[in-house]
Amino acid sequence: MIGMRYVALAFAALALAAVPVAAAAQGEAVHRFTVSGKAFTVPVPQGYCLPSGGTVALAAKVASLDTMNLTHANLDRCGTFGEDYVHIKSPRRPQPVPMPRAQFLALLARELQTANGQKLVDDAIENAGRDVAKGTNNEVQLDNAVPRFVGQDDNCVYMALVSDVVGALGAIKIRGVICMTVVGGEFMNVNAYAIEGRGTTEAQLKARVRAIALSIAAAGA
């Protein structure tokens, strides 16, 4: 079914992006990007920064590990090192949505809660883990990923994930929440992450992705 394609694409992005990114420098007030040739804008949230200087290459390396999606925005909380960050993504192969957003989100939410949808999510995470390991020469691995459907509203279908990220300095546990949404007829996802146990809750991550998704607009709209 049509929604299954988006489930795989979006959840692969959630798993792949759960790799710590170094601190970013202060970003611009508005970030601009394109999806399928269409221009979009998103305000840089207060307290978050875009990559600059030496972190540009590092952010590009992390984005390259996602073989299914493009990363349009990489936002770290200013002054942190892979502790609290947000990615905006869309499929590398354009996936315009051929139906109204409300209908599409309802379809996506329904499929995510089926056995087939859960298997697709699990397969996507497994494939993403292999890509991360391969892309980092096994220096970084994703283990014990536990995904869950965590609701739907008028703007997002939400999934959450807790995963161990294992690297040279040991293992850390990352919590992530993804908002799958449609803006200007284009499928996108907004993913927010935080290191588990440092005060950021799942509810806060969910509110964060919703607010950022709502702020994305077609350029000139």
Side-chain angles (χ1 to χ4, degrees), residues 31-42 70 72 88 90 94-99 182-188 216-221:
H31 177 62
R32 294 171 173 79
F33 61 95
T34 61
V35 178
S36 298
K38 301 176 185 177
F40 295 89
T41 63
V42 62
L70 296 170
H72 301 293
I88 299 173
S90 73
Q95 298 281 339
V97 176
M99 62 183 73
V182 179
V183 182
E186 297 295 332
F187 176 68
M188 302 181 197
I216 299 172

Side-chain angles (χ1 to χ4, degrees), residues 121-133:
V121 166
D122 292 341
D123 290 345
I125 291 176
E126 184 177 344
N127 290 336
R130 283 197 293 265
D131 283 347
V132 167

Side-chain angles (χ1 to χ4, degrees), residues 16-202:
L16 278 161
V19 179
V21 179
Q26 181 62 48
E28 300 174 355
V30 176
H31 177 62
R32 294 171 173 79
F33 61 95
T34 61
V35 178
S36 298
K38 301 176 185 177
F40 295 89
T41 63
V42 62
V44 176
Q46 185 175 3
Y48 285 81
C49 296
L50 293 161
S52 70
T55 65
V56 173
L58 180 56
K61 173 63 176 177
V62 172
S64 73
L65 299 177
D66 188 344
T67 60
M68 298 181 69
N69 299 276
L70 296 170
T71 301
H72 301 293
N74 186 114
L75 306 165
D76 269 73
R77 188 173 291 279
C78 301
T80 68
F81 293 83
E83 297 178 6
D84 185 327
Y85 50 105
V86 177
H87 291 167
I88 299 173
K89 290 177 174 277
S90 73
R92 288 184 183 271
R93 294 184 179 180
Q95 298 281 339
V97 176
M99 62 183 73
R101 182 171 66 184
Q103 181 182 352
F104 173 77
L105 294 180
L107 170 65
L108 200 57
R110 185 166 62 250
E111 292 188 358
L112 275 168
Q113 297 176 80
T114 66
N116 285 339
Q118 185 61 52
K119 184 179 186 306
L120 196 61
V121 166
D122 292 341
D123 290 345
I125 291 176
E126 184 177 344
N127 290 336
R130 283 197 293 265
D131 283 347
V132 167
K134 180 180 179 181
T136 62
N137 294 317
N138 289 313
E139 292 180 4
V140 178
Q141 297 183 18
L142 306 180
D143 291 330
N144 304 316
V146 181
R148 294 179 295 116
F149 171 78
V150 289
Q152 174 201 351
D153 58 29
D154 59 338
N155 198 62
C156 299
V157 172
Y158 300 97
M159 294 288 288
L161 177 78
V162 176
S163 177
D164 292 328
V165 181
V166 183
L169 299 179
I172 59 173
K173 190 175 291 293
I174 295 287
R175 178 178 294 278
V177 173
I178 182 172
C179 159
M180 290 171 268
T181 191
V182 179
V183 182
E186 297 295 332
F187 176 68
M188 302 181 197
N189 45 83
V190 181
N191 310 332
Y193 316 90
I195 294 178
E196 183 78 335
R198 297 196 182 178
T200 303
T201 66
E202 182 178 290

